Amino acid sequence: MKAMISLEINGEVHEVAVAPHATLLQVLREDLALLGAKKGCDTGGCGCCTVMMDGEAVYSCMVFAMTAPGKKITTIEGLQQNGKLDPLQEAFIETGAVQCGYCTCGMILAAKSHLSSHPSPSDQEIRQAIAGNLCRCTGYQKIVDAIRLVSVGR
Amino acid sequence: MPLSEVKEFFVPQEAGEVAALLARFGNRAVVLAGGTFLHGLAARGLLHGVDAFIYLGKAGLSYVKQVDGVLAVGAMTTFTELGSAEPVRNLPALGAIKDALQYPPAQIRNMATVGGCVASASPLFDLPVAFLALDGTVKALGPKGEREIALRKFYLDYFEHALEKNEFLTQVRLPKAAARSASAFLKLDTNANDLALLNVGVCVTLDASGNCRDVRVALGGGIGKIPVRAAACEAVLNGQRPTRERVSESAQVVSSDIHTVSDHRASAQYRTAAARVLVKRALGRALSRLGVEVN
């Protein structure tokens, strides 16, 4: 049976009717047309569905939507401020850290979450921060370059 | 069964309410904590006959407390919360927990819970092996009230534990460690999201004369249906001075403690060889935390 819940996504409150098994990823993509979070493995192994909940990176394919009320959810659509891309998004463009693009939104949100508590990560820490995100195009180096570009003092 | 067949989703506000719902649904309900294991089970067709989810997130089970030296961890505590608890960050005796939490990626650490990880009864998980090395216990709540079960007696078989169908796990407890105790954990894996090919947790205490006592060595991963203690390894070290030779000897005999399995990820021979290396390194790491260098 579906139930009405309210979700705070990118600062906006949405009322949605969700089934008991519905994941946050399904609600984002299918009910709210927020298509930044991608469906990849759908079992928490690839990272392309990564969003932030209360600032922490999570696999939205594993979050039951019913558990998300009361959390502040941030998707890639919510990173821009007044039409201006987040510096991390700009860094991905500047370093060419995108090829097919399927992993990119998850990569950026995993990195964004890590940088918020660790603003000056070493390259090793950057690699650990994105260890839960797979990229099959870039070989990761340009992604690490992009994240380093916005790391404070590096 | 597909998850879409689940009809109800309950969010009880306290542990007693969870117990009441379980009494009503029994095996037809799944107690849901972080949920990181559930989708994998469902995707593999291993979930059957579930009518309801009972979510623990609002039931007051997210906490890490240290009372009289005992570390009590609420079932709903995430890996991130456990890892940032002061005793886990700073006490050598809890080093195995700190080590085990280094392996999963951030997305799992932020969602996966201590209770879910233990109650899933997967022999491939990491924290249960660390907890076994720390001689942990679990608390369960059911219609007859609360009871405490030693982790050594908790795992019965592949994905099977000692909880009754109307019981659920509320807390993991780790006993107070002796003064000169340290623990460590190591995992053999191939990537950040991999289940253990093999994992090892150890705990060592040094007595007043610098000899080992209460040595505990636990292994999991591809060694059968449940995580186990390695009695032969422990016997080699107990009462003895922790020299490099003694630690090597202890690690060598691990092959008599475990029955490694062959599967598509690794052969039994490889796992046995790796077990000797990991036990030696884990003992070395724990001893190093006590200021004794053997590696």
Side-chain angles (χ1 to χ4, degrees):
Chain A
M1 269 165 288
K2 286 193 172 183
M4 287 301 292
I5 59 169
S6 95
L7 297 177
E8 186 182 334
I9 300 165
N10 303 329
E12 264 182 60
V13 176
H14 299 262
E15 304 284 334
V16 267
V18 300
H21 69 279
T23 63
L24 179 59
L25 178 65
Q26 285 166 345
V27 172
L28 290 173
R29 292 184 60 83
E30 294 165 23
D31 295 311
L32 302 174
L34 292 166
L35 303 177
K38 303 294 187 288
K39 181 175 171 179
C41 71
D42 212 22
T43 53
C46 74
C48 64
C49 69
T50 299
V51 301
M52 292 196 290
M53 282 208 314
D54 291 340
E56 292 185 335
V58 297
Y59 293 136
S60 63
C61 75
M62 285 185 151
V63 177
F64 285 99
M66 292 280 209
T67 69
K71 312 263 189 192
K72 290 185 194 320
I73 297 155
T74 308
T75 70
I76 193 76
E77 290 89 347
L79 282 195
Q80 56 85 26
Q81 300 279 337
N82 304 317
K84 199 170 176 298
L85 291 181
D86 187 273
L88 188 55
Q89 291 172 298
E90 294 284 7
F92 267 65
I93 296 169
E94 193 173 328
T95 56
V98 177
Q99 192 169 324
C100 87
Y102 209 78
C103 74
T104 310
C105 302
M107 284 285 183
I108 289 175
L109 288 162
K112 182 81 185 164
S113 170
H114 186 79
L115 286 167
S116 67
S117 52
H118 304 81
S120 311
S122 65
D123 278 15
Q124 180 62 28
E125 283 165 351
I126 291 172
R127 287 179 184 275
Q128 278 171 352
I130 57 167
N133 297 67
L134 298 179
C135 171
R136 285 292 174 260
C137 306
T138 65
Y140 300 99
Q141 188 55 50
K142 289 181 176 179
I143 295 171
V144 174
D145 292 345
I147 299 167
R148 189 193 305 113
L149 206 59
V150 294
S151 301
V152 176
R154 295 201 68 211
Chain B
M1 65 168 253
L3 287 177
S4 56
E5 289 175 17
V6 176
K7 299 175 190 72
E8 296 192 79
F9 195 106
F10 295 101
V11 187
Q13 303 294 306
E14 49 152 348
E17 211 181 315
V18 178
L21 283 164
L22 269 178
R24 189 172 133 206
F25 283 94
N27 283 343
R28 309 290 296 176
V30 164
V31 175
L32 183 67
T36 52
F37 188 51
L38 194 67
H39 287 90
L41 277 184
R44 289 168 181 80
L46 296 172
L47 209 61
H48 301 283
V50 179
D51 287 337
F53 289 137
I54 304 172
Y55 177 56
L56 292 189
K58 306 287 181 192
L61 295 172
S62 302
Y63 57 82
V64 182
K65 294 185 235 177
Q66 205 174 19
V67 183
D68 297 332
V70 176
L71 194 78
V73 185
M76 196 59 205
T77 308
T78 65
F79 290 6
T80 299
E81 288 162 348
L82 178 63
S84 47
E86 190 274 331
V88 174
R89 279 189 289 121
N90 295 324
L91 288 182
L94 300 177
I97 299 177
K98 187 178 179 177
D99 293 344
L101 295 174
Q102 304 297 315
Y103 290 94
Q107 291 96 326
I108 295 294
R109 291 198 308 270
N110 292 335
M111 271 188 74
T113 65
V114 171
C117 184
V118 171
S120 294
S122 163
L124 304 175
F125 284 176
D126 300 331
L127 274 183
V129 170
F131 292 155
L132 199 55
L134 299 174
D135 213 15
T137 62
V138 302
K139 272 193 172 177
L141 183 67
K144 293 177 205 155
E146 200 173 47
R147 66 176 175 133
E148 194 165 345
I149 309 163
L151 211 52
R152 281 194 85 165
K153 297 185 174 169
F154 185 72
Y155 295 114
L156 306 179
D157 204 340
Y158 209 54
F159 296 125
E160 277 191 34
H161 50 55
L163 295 178
E164 302 290 339
K165 68 174 181 182
N166 291 343
E167 282 182 318
F168 73 105
L169 193 154
T170 56
Q171 192 183 82
V172 171
R173 294 172 69 80
L174 302 166
K176 182 179 183 178
R180 294 180 72 196
S181 293
S183 68
F185 173 93
L186 285 169
K187 172 182 180 177
L188 183 65
D189 57 9
T190 60
N191 64 67
N193 247 327
D194 205 4
L195 294 167
L197 287 169
L198 194 91
N199 53 22
V200 176
V202 304
C203 184
V204 182
T205 299
L206 297 181
D207 65 18
S209 56
N211 290 340
C212 300
R213 68 173 175 86
D214 295 332
V215 174
R216 290 188 291 269
V217 177
L219 292 104
I223 57 151
K225 295 175 176 174
I226 61 172
V228 297
R229 284 272 297 274
C233 287
E234 296 170 2
V236 169
L237 279 175
N238 273 325
Q240 304 294 324
R241 196 156 288 279
T243 59
R244 180 179 302 187
E245 292 71 26
R246 193 68 76 176
V247 166
S248 292
E249 191 191 332
S250 170
Q252 279 302 308
V253 302
V254 71
S255 52
S256 65
D257 283 315
I258 56 174
H259 300 282
T260 50
V261 298
S262 288
D263 59 21
H264 64 287
R265 300 198 302 153
S267 68
Q269 292 93 323
Y270 175 68
R271 283 192 166 100
T272 302
R276 292 192 178 110
V277 176
L278 287 197
V279 169
K280 185 177 168 184
R281 287 183 188 168
L283 286 168
R285 185 184 279 192
L287 285 164
S288 171
R289 288 176 172 155
L290 293 169
V292 178
E293 297 301 334
V294 293
N295 284 336

